[in-house]
Amino acid sequence: MSTRADHNTVVVGVDDSPTALNAARWAAYLAGALHTPLLIATAPPHAQTAAQQLADRAHQPQWYDSARETVARTVELVRTCAPELTVGTVLPPGPPARALVELSAHARIVVVGAQTAYGARLLGHITMRVVRHAHCPVGVWRGANGRPISRDKPVAVGIDGTELSIPAIAHGFEIAAALGVPLTAVHCWPSRIAEVGHRLDRGEQERTLLAESLAGWRTDYPDVEVIELPVPGLARSVLDQLADEVQLLVVGSHGHPTATALLFGSTSRDLLHHTACPVLVCRS
């Protein structure tokens, strides 16, 4: 069936690739846990105006037939893993990135597969454009095709101690609560060598900062087990190493002018390109 996205909908963009099907399966898992509908979207690969798209549909071009088959196959897959989930479909006009950004204005979360550039691990322009411009959090599915990520693993959230982390913390707690798994809260700071005659030990200060960042959220989500992980070092390295032990990394999308800020353009971008598990990028 066809429907529209609303602010309680998880939207997933698909094509005919195995990565997109895995992203759809993961999106259905999230939507089911959050008790929200799932909207499956696919768009033409080339730029088209709405009028051109409607004209092409009237003649049922090859792309439109293929898109309907892709959507039908995706719906069938979703039904096998989430039979009770409310599922809608849409074939929006315009190229995929633009279509998903427009849908994101009325969505709770947008999910895309890790579409890559030239078969490399680096993400291609479609995925990156959606992450950069979406109006809601974007989940990028990363993993091994055909090898589902264990649902017993915790969710991890990166915290830099500023207000920029608040959306990531909020979604990290929300998703961990919905999935019934622990939340690993990661906070990093530079590990530098102290000058002669000086002691450089920020550990206690940074642990306090992490605890204060989590305090109110622990009250709001008393059933979520929180694992505090204050670690000296580069955030992207610590989180990338943690990826094998969690089912999702949640990070912010805007920067803070420090070397360890969990910002899009450095930490978040690097995780999207290289990490081994899905990443949820939350706009501030």
Side-chain angles (χ1 to χ4, degrees):
M1 72 177 176
S2 180
T3 189
R4 297 178 61 186
D6 61 38
H7 292 290
N8 198 41
T9 302
V10 173
V11 175
V12 59
V14 300
D15 54 24
D16 58 357
S17 68
T19 298
L21 292 177
N22 277 287
R25 183 187 290 112
W26 183 67
Y29 166 52
L30 282 183
L34 294 169
H35 303 290
T36 68
L38 177 69
L39 181 63
I40 299 169
T42 189
H46 304 295
Q48 290 181 302
T49 65
Q52 289 172 326
Q53 181 73 1
L54 290 172
D56 284 347
R57 288 184 183 185
H59 298 90
Q60 293 202 344
Q62 181 178 0
W63 173 83
Y64 186 52
D65 291 338
S66 175
R68 288 191 301 178
E69 292 176 4
T70 296
V71 167
R73 184 166 60 251
T74 306
V75 171
E76 183 178 358
L77 172 67
V78 166
R79 292 293 186 205
T80 63
C81 56
E84 304 300 323
L85 187 65
T86 299
V87 180
T89 64
V90 63
L91 274 63
R98 187 178 71 193
L100 290 173
V101 169
E102 290 176 354
L103 287 170
S104 75
H106 305 285
R108 184 169 182 173
I109 295 174
V110 168
V111 174
V112 291
Q115 170 258 355
T116 57
Y118 310 110
R121 286 183 61 84
L122 298 181
L123 298 191
H125 70 281
I126 294 176
T127 303
M128 295 304 291
R129 184 178 175 190
V130 174
V131 174
R132 288 179 186 275
H133 299 289
H135 304 283
C136 69
V138 178
V140 178
W141 185 88
R142 294 209 68 130
N145 290 330
R147 296 175 60 186
I149 297 169
S150 172
R151 297 181 179 180
D152 295 328
K153 292 182 177 181
V155 169
V157 58
I159 300 173
D160 66 8
T162 73
E163 293 184 356
L164 299 170
S165 293
I166 292 176
I169 297 171
H171 286 92
F173 269 96
E174 178 187 38
I175 293 174
L179 300 179
V181 298
L183 178 68
T184 300
V186 184
H187 174 61
C188 303
W189 64 94
S191 54
R192 295 194 291 263
I193 299 175
E195 298 179 6
V196 176
H198 293 79
R199 182 181 179 185
L200 185 61
D201 183 6
R202 292 174 49 180
E204 188 61 33
Q205 174 187 345
E206 300 297 342
R207 283 190 288 271
T208 299
L209 180 62
L210 176 58
E212 291 175 347
S213 298
L214 296 169
W217 300 100
R218 286 180 181 272
T219 302
D220 292 339
Y221 294 90
D223 295 331
V224 174
E225 176 189 353
V226 180
I227 303 167
E228 296 185 22
L229 190 61
V231 183
L234 293 176
R236 60 178 175 270
S237 298
V238 173
L239 290 172
D240 190 41
Q241 293 174 10
L242 190 65
D244 289 331
E245 303 174 22
V246 301
Q247 61 173 300
L248 172 66
L249 291 175
V250 184
V251 293
S253 65
H254 287 282
H256 183 260
T258 69
T260 59
L262 297 171
L263 57 122
F264 186 73
S266 61
T267 299
S268 302
R269 181 194 60 206
D270 289 345
L271 291 172
L272 288 172
H273 282 309
H274 301 295
T275 195
C277 75
V279 179
L280 183 71
V281 180
C282 305
R283 298 182 66 87
S284 62

